[in-house]
Amino acid sequence: MTGQTLVKVGMADLNIAMEGAVLKTTGLGSCVGLTLFDPQSKVAGMAHVMLPSSEIARESQLNIAKYADTAIPELLGRMEAVGARLGRIEAKMAGGAQMFALGGSDTLRIGPRNVESCKVILQHYRIPILGMDTGGNYGRTVEFDSYKGILLIRSVQHGVKEI
């Protein structure tokens, strides 16, 4: 995906892209890189979700991009504002790894909980998930092409794959 405009999405960040621009985020360990795409309007969005729910937020100024339950509605709103329609939007996601060996504590299973939270919210909006590369114990970098709707996933351990 070279020669195209690159739109970077930082950690606990989200953004949209159109007209073939590529959304990119790095450093996905337990975080989830969630992409939304309207194939008709060619509007794409990406959120770098760090945590499953804003109910655990401790910051005085809530970062809505940080949490699955606030990032997804915000991303949908931004996409719809530039021509996407909810009934056409599709999702793909990557990340949600379990980066460290932990005991049985569910509170520390951030990666799997991030994936599950994203799935529940997408189901609420009736957004189909067309592809996923989640879990494992390794990091990922992802790029999403806003023209073709292709999610490119890179990892040191597993090379490059497209979904």
Side-chain angles (χ1 to χ4, degrees):
M1 297 185 194
T2 59
Q4 295 166 289
T5 303
L6 186 64
V7 178
K8 292 186 180 180
V9 177
M11 189 177 288
D13 188 17
L14 56 81
N15 213 331
I16 63 169
M18 300 174 289
E19 301 173 1
V22 174
L23 290 155
K24 179 178 182 175
T25 195
T26 61
L28 291 174
S30 60
C31 297
V32 168
L34 173 73
T35 62
L36 300 176
F37 183 58
D38 178 342
Q40 190 170 326
S41 66
K42 304 290 188 198
V43 174
M46 180 184 285
H48 185 128
V49 174
M50 282 184 69
L51 295 167
S53 173
S54 60
E55 291 176 10
I56 61 173
R58 292 198 176 115
E59 62 261 41
S60 58
Q61 182 69 30
L62 183 69
N63 176 356
I64 57 175
K66 187 174 185 177
Y67 306 95
D69 66 330
T70 52
I72 295 171
E74 174 68 17
L75 195 55
L76 287 168
R78 290 187 189 188
M79 290 174 67
E80 287 175 316
V82 295
R85 291 213 8 239
L86 182 58
R88 300 188 302 234
I89 292 176
E90 308 162 341
K92 294 180 181 179
M93 68 174 117
Q98 183 63 50
M99 297 302 288
F100 307 102
L102 302 168
S105 173
D106 192 53
T107 57
L108 299 176
R109 294 180 55 253
I110 300 297
R113 288 175 50 223
N114 281 339
V115 171
E116 187 57 34
S117 183
C118 287
K119 285 180 176 179
V120 167
I121 295 160
L122 291 170
Q123 186 175 24
H124 169 79
Y125 286 102
R126 294 187 171 98
I127 296 173
I129 301 169
L130 299 188
M132 292 186 5
D133 181 37
T134 59
N137 62 352
Y138 57 92
R140 298 164 172 92
T141 292
V142 297
E143 295 180 10
F144 190 81
D145 184 315
S146 70
Y147 185 76
K148 297 176 184 172
I150 295 171
L151 180 61
L152 189 70
I153 304 144
R154 288 188 173 93
S155 67
V156 172
Q157 296 83 347
H158 298 276
V160 179
K161 74 169 76 164
E162 283 184 6
I163 57 173

